Amino acid sequence: MIMKKIDISARINGIQLSSCIMNASGALCTTGQELSDLLDSSSGAIVTKSCTRQPRKGNIKPRYFEWNVGSINSMGLPNLGIDFYLNFLEEKKTKKPVFLSISGLSIEEIFFLLKKANFSSKITAIELNLSCPNLQEEILGYDLYKIYDFLENVFKFNEKPLGIKLPPYFKEEYIKNMSLILNQFPIVFVTCINSLPNGIFVDPRNETSVIQPRNGFGGIGGSIIKPFALANIRKFYTYLRKDISIIGCGGISYGKDIFEHILCGASAVQIGTQLMKEGISVFERLKKEFTLFLQKKNYSSINSFKGKLKNLQ
Ligand code: SIN
């Protein structure tokens, strides 16, 4: 049998990825060793752990827990500080696109980080995390009143390709209004979605929560959140300017999940919980499964079905 060549490369606006599969910020991307492993893996890009101005130890442990269909975390942004990531990338020679994730604890800090990132020639794009569910501060991605002014100020100086990691939204109106704001700025991509905030997982035997920070409340990830990720991708695909790419994130465990994300409108995908569970070999497995899936469906590239989800008649 002659096998059709399947192309799973992707384009995020002008950024070319050899594979549409990459890590999600937060999953095995904090230390130099983890980042080197990601660079050596078959992922199409790397995303760093969201960094802050100063290194942070993060929240008290245990702060991450996983079960068969999900994960809960309240990491509290443990990271080595922006200088570490910029220096690490200076020293690495890589052709793989690098997304520097940043997440300040205040708007002033975000501006500081963005300005610093703008000076680095080693960063392909910035993923601005406006959706961390584990800080005292409010989730900026939920404050549509603040976001417009914030972005207006960002684009007074920002020249790097910039994307925004968004929290999950549960109302169409929110996605529509957020899109109306984002459409006014030269944003290159959005990542949908960060973990679902304020979940709790209970250990009935010990009668406790399973993580310690914030009395057990944290962000929920893993296959349990896939329907919410798909819904957000679908709605943003409807309302966003067509040149703003969507990176799907949430609930990808198998090749067919990647297909579903792209069918809803994603141009590329990120792997979080499953990368934590399985380690770096997840990229090779997903690539194989996804390629095989497309082969069976007789699709040769992701553009043949991207965004083409049909309504049930
Ligand atoms: C964390 O470090 O608390 C998680 C970051 C995030 O989900 O944005």
Side-chain angles (χ1 to χ4, degrees), residues 181-243:
I181 295 172
L182 296 176
N183 285 343
Q184 296 176 60
F185 296 97
I187 283 160
V188 166
F189 68 92
V190 294
T191 303
C192 294
I193 52 174
N194 207 325
S195 54
L196 264 67
N198 289 315
I200 192 162
F201 191 91
V202 169
D203 175 351
R205 195 167 58 97
N206 289 328
E207 303 178 16
T208 61
S209 50
V210 291
I211 56 170
Q212 200 168 335
R214 295 184 53 233
N215 298 325
F217 286 83
I220 305 294
S223 51
I224 198 170
I225 74 162
K226 188 178 70 173
F228 298 101
L230 295 178
N232 275 253
I233 293 165
R234 190 69 195 146
K235 286 290 176 204
F236 273 112
Y237 187 75
T238 310
Y239 290 118
L240 280 178
R241 246 178 25 228
K242 281 293 165 255
D243 65 306

Side-chain angles (χ1 to χ4, degrees), residues 31-301:
T31 65
Q33 186 59 55
E34 288 171 341
L35 291 169
S36 297
D37 290 346
L38 283 172
L39 282 171
D40 292 342
S41 78
S42 60
S43 71
I46 69 162
V47 189
T48 65
K49 170 70 186 168
S50 299
C51 64
T52 48
R53 186 179 194 147
Q54 300 296 340
R56 282 171 63 87
K57 284 198 165 68
N59 291 340
I60 190 167
K61 293 179 183 172
R63 57 194 183 185
Y64 179 82
F65 177 86
E66 59 196 27
W67 67 100
N68 55 345
V69 292
S71 66
I72 181 165
N73 87 83
S74 182
M75 304 300 287
L77 290 180
N79 77 91
L80 300 172
I82 189 166
D83 288 338
F84 170 83
Y85 297 102
L86 294 181
N87 293 337
F88 172 86
L89 295 168
E90 276 308 316
E91 284 163 20
K92 287 280 170 190
K93 285 193 173 54
T94 178
K95 289 208 170 85
K96 205 178 258 200
V98 174
F99 293 73
L100 181 81
S101 172
I102 66 174
S103 180
L105 304 184
S106 65
I107 286 186
E108 292 68 38
E109 185 176 357
I110 296 175
F111 287 146
F112 172 87
L113 296 165
L114 283 172
K115 284 181 180 156
K116 205 150 196 187
N118 262 264
F119 279 112
S120 168
S121 60
K122 298 294 160 103
I123 297 166
T124 316
I126 298 167
E127 184 183 77
L128 176 55
N129 181 356
L130 297 185
S131 48
C132 177
N134 303 323
L135 302 170
Q136 295 298 341
E137 295 74 15
E138 60 180 328
I139 296 176
L140 195 52
Y142 282 142
D143 193 335
L144 299 198
Y145 290 105
K146 275 197 192 146
I147 286 249
Y148 183 88
D149 282 350
F150 168 74
L151 289 176
E152 204 170 33
N153 284 320
V154 166
F155 284 105
K156 282 183 181 151
F157 63 87
N158 182 71
E159 291 182 350
K160 280 267 177 217
L162 180 76
I164 300 183
K165 184 158 182 184
L166 295 169
Y169 299 98
F170 303 98
K171 273 184 152 185
E172 173 158 9
E173 199 187 323
Y174 247 84
I175 297 183
K176 195 171 172 182
N177 289 336
M178 186 60 166
S179 300
L180 285 172
I181 295 172
L182 296 176
N183 285 343
Q184 296 176 60
F185 296 97
I187 283 160
V188 166
F189 68 92
V190 294
T191 303
C192 294
I193 52 174
N194 207 325
S195 54
L196 264 67
N198 289 315
I200 192 162
F201 191 91
V202 169
D203 175 351
R205 195 167 58 97
N206 289 328
E207 303 178 16
T208 61
S209 50
V210 291
I211 56 170
Q212 200 168 335
R214 295 184 53 233
N215 298 325
F217 286 83
I220 305 294
S223 51
I224 198 170
I225 74 162
K226 188 178 70 173
F228 298 101
L230 295 178
N232 275 253
I233 293 165
R234 190 69 195 146
K235 286 290 176 204
F236 273 112
Y237 187 75
T238 310
Y239 290 118
L240 280 178
R241 246 178 25 228
K242 281 293 165 255
D243 65 306
I244 302 180
S245 301
I246 300 171
I247 302 181
C249 181
I252 294 179
S253 318
Y254 304 104
K256 73 157 183 54
D257 301 321
I258 301 175
F259 178 78
E260 292 173 18
H261 273 240
I262 295 173
L263 194 65
C264 285
S267 296
V269 295
Q270 295 183 347
I271 316 298
T273 300
Q274 195 59 35
L275 170 58
M276 295 290 288
K277 280 186 178 175
E278 197 173 329
I280 213 83
S281 61
V282 72
F283 294 111
E284 211 39 54
R285 177 181 65 78
L286 287 176
K287 211 169 158 177
K288 277 194 194 130
E289 285 180 12
F290 182 47
T291 308
L292 208 64
F293 193 85
L294 296 194
Q295 218 155 45
K296 285 189 182 144
K297 286 241 166 213
N298 214 17
Y299 286 125
S300 56
S301 74

